[in-house]
């Protein structure tokens, strides 16, 4: 039986793996369908401590993986398909293979909801399409960008981007924002933000070098198409935690985010089951906070009986 199984291999999972391995727990890590997590789709990370010149997202997570392996973590490129976590012995299945563990750390992350329009996937990750203004906003200093969405996240990201960008077009399918009144008012009163209401994205355009040059939107009332020149498009229509396999066992909110127990950031409602990273944290969603949560989960797991 494994002492601890870690499900997920982004900054949260690798952070947990490093600390569990150094504590002598010989952790077994399952990477999931996207080894390294969402950060591997980011070209440059400039806000992770210790890298003043920035670091490639894939390289950062890979170095964390190598560090975990150096201390004894065993990493399997496999996806967890079924779990049974309510008993004293935790059962984790990867297809036809089954594993028992005394403790489990869930670090499966979340996935941004995307629009699916033409050009979006081709330009995602360093070519002009992003789902994180905090991560990538500084790369668009002095440039015109667009934000898609109408909730709190979209308004917050649009306001944040005005710190760097010349202008921000805030594109929303309705004539009123779903955001809270205070967040909507902040966006509407910002002189750098121009709203494009009753409009949905139709296509994100690339220049001759394969980088974003603009977005085509369609007015849902008139059907008229309009091209908006911009160098970046930020999709802010929410995230989906990758927690479906844990439903019915681990306590979650209606969106599927795992709820930590009172007095802890990483304990779940189940004994010896912990959580770290973006599958629980929907406020910060940063590489450094995910790694920190992985550290906390590992320390609690190593100290528990």
């Amino acid at each position: 039986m494994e002492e601890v199984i870690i499900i997920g291999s982004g900054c949260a999972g690798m952070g947990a793996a490093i600390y569990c391995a150094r504590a002598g727990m010989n952790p077994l890590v399952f990477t999931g369908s996207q080894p390294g997590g969402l950060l591997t789709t980011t070209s440059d990370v400039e806000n992770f401590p210790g890298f003043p010149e920035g670091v490639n997202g894939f390289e950062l997570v890979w170095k964390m993986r190598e560090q975990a392996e150096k201390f004894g973590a065993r990493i399997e490129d496999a996806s967890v398909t079924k779990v049974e976590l309510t008993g004293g012995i935790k059962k984790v299945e990867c297809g036809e293979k089954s594993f028992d563990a005394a403790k489990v750390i869930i670090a499966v992350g979340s996935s941004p909801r995307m629009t699916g329009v033409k050009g979006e996937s081709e330009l995602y990750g360093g070519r002009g399409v992003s789902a994180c203004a905090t991560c990538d906003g500084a790369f668009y200093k002095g440039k015109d960008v667009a934000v898609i969405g109408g909730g709190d996240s979209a308004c917050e990201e649009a306001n944040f981007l005005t710190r760097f960008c010349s202008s921000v077009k805030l594109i929303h399918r309705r004539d009123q924002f779903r955001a809270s009144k205070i967040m909507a008012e902040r966006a509407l009163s910002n002189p750098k933000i121009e709203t494009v209401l009753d409009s949905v994205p139709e296509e994100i355009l690339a220049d001759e070098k394969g980088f974003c040059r603009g977005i085509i939107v369609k007015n849902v009332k008139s059907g008229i198409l309009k091209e908006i020149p911009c160098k970046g498009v930020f999709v802010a229509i929410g995230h989906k935690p990758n927690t479906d396999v844990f439903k019915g066992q681990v306590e979650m909110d209606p969106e599927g985010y795992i709820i930590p127990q009172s007095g802890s950031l990483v304990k779940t409602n189940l004994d010896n089951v912990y959580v770290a990273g973006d599958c629980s944290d929907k406020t910060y969603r940063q590489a450094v906070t995910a790694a920190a949560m992985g550290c906390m989960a590992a320390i609690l797991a190593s100290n528990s009986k």
Side-chain angles (χ1 to χ4, degrees):
M1 183 172 72
E2 303 291 340
E3 185 171 359
V4 61
I5 286 177
I6 299 169
I7 305 173
S9 59
C11 286
M14 287 299 114
I18 290 168
Y19 274 80
C20 283
R22 292 190 76 249
M25 300 180 75
N26 195 27
L28 177 60
V29 182
F30 294 117
T31 64
S33 60
Q34 187 176 35
L38 197 60
L39 196 67
T40 59
T41 65
T42 300
S43 57
D44 291 304
V45 179
E46 291 192 326
N47 55 6
F48 198 91
F51 296 92
E53 303 303 323
V55 60
N56 178 271
F58 178 86
E59 181 184 358
L60 174 61
V61 183
W62 193 261
K63 285 184 178 294
M64 294 177 74
R65 175 173 174 153
E66 290 178 336
Q67 190 174 2
E69 289 179 315
K70 173 185 174 182
F71 293 116
R74 293 161 297 139
I75 300 175
E76 297 284 341
D77 291 321
S79 296
V80 171
T81 54
K82 186 178 180 181
V83 297
E84 177 51 63
L85 304 178
T86 56
I89 297 176
K90 317 302 178 185
K91 296 186 179 296
V92 177
E93 294 183 13
C94 296
E96 296 181 354
K97 294 183 178 180
S98 182
F99 304 83
D100 292 342
K103 302 159 189 175
V104 169
I105 297 174
I106 300 169
V108 292
S110 67
S111 301
R113 299 183 190 275
M114 306 302 285
T115 67
V117 299
K118 183 179 179 181
E120 183 180 68
S121 60
E122 293 85 349
L123 299 181
Y124 182 76
R127 291 189 169 272
V129 175
S130 172
C132 180
T134 307
C135 308
D136 300 328
F139 296 120
Y140 296 88
K141 187 175 182 179
K143 298 178 180 179
D144 300 317
V145 300
V147 173
I148 301 171
D152 280 353
S153 293
C155 291
E156 186 174 3
E157 297 229 325
N159 272 302
F160 178 83
L161 286 166
T162 60
R163 302 181 186 183
F164 312 100
C165 304
S166 295
S167 70
V168 179
K169 299 290 194 301
L170 183 53
I171 302 165
H172 183 41
R173 64 170 57 245
R174 299 182 177 87
D175 58 1
Q176 291 185 338
F177 291 106
R178 294 182 294 105
S180 60
K181 183 178 180 181
I182 187 170
M183 290 304 301
E185 287 178 348
R186 285 176 185 172
L188 292 170
S189 63
N190 192 314
K192 282 190 173 184
I193 296 175
E194 179 184 338
T195 58
V196 184
L197 301 177
D198 295 320
S199 298
V200 294
E202 284 285 297
E203 182 180 354
I204 299 174
L205 305 171
D207 62 20
E208 64 279 0
K209 294 183 179 180
F211 291 87
C212 178
R213 67 173 176 85
I215 181 172
I216 295 176
V217 299
K218 181 176 75 173
N219 187 287
V220 295
K221 293 181 177 178
S222 67
I224 295 175
L225 298 176
K226 176 183 178 182
E227 180 178 334
I228 300 173
C230 61
K231 294 297 184 181
V233 174
F234 290 82
V235 183
I237 55 176
H239 284 70
K240 182 184 185 301
N242 304 319
T243 55
D244 286 352
V245 72
F246 309 106
K247 285 183 177 178
Q249 299 182 58
V250 183
E251 186 179 357
M252 304 177 187
D253 69 12
E255 297 176 84
Y257 287 93
I258 295 174
I259 301 173
Q261 297 305 288
S262 178
S264 172
L265 293 175
V266 296
K267 283 185 178 180
T268 73
N269 59 303
L270 301 177
D271 288 339
N272 288 321
V273 178
Y274 306 90
V275 65
D278 292 11
C279 60
S280 175
D281 168 28
K282 56 182 176 181
T283 302
Y284 301 104
R285 294 199 299 264
Q286 298 299 300
V288 65
T289 52
M293 289 180 73
C295 162
M296 288 185 274
I299 290 174
L300 286 181
S302 65
N303 289 337
S304 68
K305 296 180 180 180

